[in-house]
Amino acid sequence: MSSLLRIRSQRDQMSAIERRIADFILDNAHLLRDYSSQQLANALEVSQSSVVKFSQKLGYKGYPDLKYAVGEDMARSDGQGDGAVEATGEGDRHAMLAETLWQAKSNAEQETRLLNPPETLDAIADAIHRARTVFVIGLGHDSIAARGFTLRLSEAGILAVFHFDPVLMPTSLANAGRDDVLVVFSEHGRRTSLCELSRLFRERIGAVISVTRHSANPLRAQADLALLVSGHDERSHIEQLLYQSALQHLLDLVFMLLCEHAEERMQLLDRNAARMRQLLET
């Protein structure tokens, strides 16, 4: 596992001081080679021993080993970019962009996989499997993934209902019960309406599953279970692509776990696929 990936995946379990160090390294990895442990400590207004302990907590002997590992990661990243240009030939801009984007998506999916341990994914799949009804909601861009996930659940024989308006949704929850589940898609997890809806659902009805970025946010804090997505890039349009790619990969994994819960679910999917082919061919 790369040093930066290790830092990002363990950030939530760190203390406030450790998170300050982690955030600086993640945001300024290319500058770390110019910092001694004392200089880094001074810049962050923490003790030098905090920097050393931070390095050791990540599994390194000390700060020099951490700095060396980060430097290797940066060099490897630069090398992959240069290789893409050389392999595709000068001027082949499309091939270079495709290779760079593929590598970035691969990294985002790997980070996302590490943020969602198997026991969490199993718990989420089991909650959906046991639910009488799965209510799904997502607004704006989040509605695209939410709607697609609802369709997948329906194809697998799970009663799933998609909503796009948190104001109207309480009406459909009138007959909901403790066995029901609410899945809330919100990239940044800060929409007040969705946070309030989640709070009410959890208090009065059933379990809430949040789907957000890997960040501290109120929606994630209120959920019983959380799916976390990683995808970072300085360019906003690329960062959005990485988020969507990693999110889809994560949802596909949950869907596969659901399919393995019951043999009849696989048979139902096969029958539905056969019906669709027949409709398209006639």
Side-chain angles (χ1 to χ4, degrees), residues 5-278:
L5 178 54
R6 185 176 303 177
I7 293 171
R8 190 171 285 120
S9 63
Q10 296 184 23
R11 185 187 179 280
D12 278 0
Q13 288 75 48
M14 295 178 180
S15 66
I17 291 178
E18 290 169 343
R19 285 198 298 271
R20 194 187 311 172
I21 300 172
D23 290 342
F24 181 87
I25 294 175
L26 291 172
D27 294 338
N28 304 279
H30 58 292
L31 300 177
L32 198 63
R33 62 185 177 184
D34 298 324
Y35 280 81
S36 66
S37 59
Q38 186 60 63
Q39 289 172 325
L40 179 59
N42 292 340
L44 296 174
E45 298 182 348
V46 301
S47 66
Q48 185 179 18
S49 63
S50 296
V51 175
V52 175
K53 290 178 181 178
F54 173 84
S55 304
Q56 293 173 340
K57 187 173 183 178
L58 290 171
Y60 299 98
K61 293 181 179 179
Y63 174 74
D65 287 343
L66 171 61
K67 183 167 72 169
Y68 179 77
V70 172
E72 278 196 324
D73 289 344
M74 298 303 294
R76 189 180 302 112
S77 177
D78 293 341
Q80 288 173 344
D82 295 341
V85 175
E86 182 179 346
T88 57
E90 184 177 357
D92 194 348
R93 186 170 61 89
H94 289 182
M96 182 186 69
L97 287 174
E99 176 67 21
T100 302
L101 181 59
W102 177 87
Q103 186 62 51
K105 285 184 175 181
S106 179
N107 292 339
E109 289 167 6
Q110 182 184 10
E111 292 177 15
T112 297
R113 188 167 61 252
L114 292 172
L115 294 173
N116 297 273
E119 54 270 22
T120 298
L121 295 178
D122 287 338
I124 290 173
D126 187 62
I128 294 175
H129 171 70
R130 294 176 180 276
R132 183 186 62 174
T133 305
V134 179
F135 297 94
V136 185
I137 188 167
L139 309 180
H141 287 295
D142 295 309
S143 67
I144 299 173
R147 191 186 297 270
F149 188 61
T150 305
L151 178 60
R152 284 290 181 86
L153 295 181
S154 299
E155 290 175 345
I158 297 173
L159 180 56
V161 182
F162 171 73
H163 288 270
F164 60 88
D165 191 336
V167 176
L168 299 177
M169 188 174 182
T171 304
S172 68
L173 297 178
N175 297 318
R178 298 299 299 178
D179 294 332
D180 294 332
V181 170
L182 173 64
V183 184
V184 187
F185 286 73
S186 180
E187 180 177 352
H188 300 288
R190 299 189 179 279
R191 289 184 180 268
T192 304
S193 57
L194 294 182
C195 290
E196 180 64 14
L197 178 65
S198 299
R199 184 186 66 80
L200 293 174
F201 191 95
R202 189 182 183 206
E203 289 179 355
R204 303 178 184 179
I205 304 177
V208 174
I209 299 172
S210 64
V211 185
T212 70
R213 274 192 178 275
H214 177 226
S215 62
N217 60 76
L219 179 60
R220 174 186 174 187
Q222 291 178 359
D224 297 283
L225 296 164
L227 286 174
L228 304 175
V229 183
S230 178
H232 306 276
D233 196 279
E234 295 179 354
R235 298 158 295 178
S236 59
H237 66 293
I238 299 298
E239 186 170 61
Q240 190 61 36
L241 294 177
L242 301 185
Y243 175 82
Q244 292 170 353
S245 176
L247 170 60
Q248 189 58 58
H249 188 79
L250 182 60
L251 295 177
D252 289 345
L253 181 55
V254 172
F255 178 73
M256 290 178 64
L257 291 173
L258 284 168
C259 291
E260 293 178 356
H261 261 288
E263 179 63 30
E264 58 268 21
R265 207 181 299 286
M266 295 293 294
Q267 295 173 358
L268 178 61
L269 282 168
D270 291 340
R271 291 197 298 271
N272 287 339
R275 292 194 191 99
M276 289 302 298
R277 285 195 299 268
Q278 186 176 13

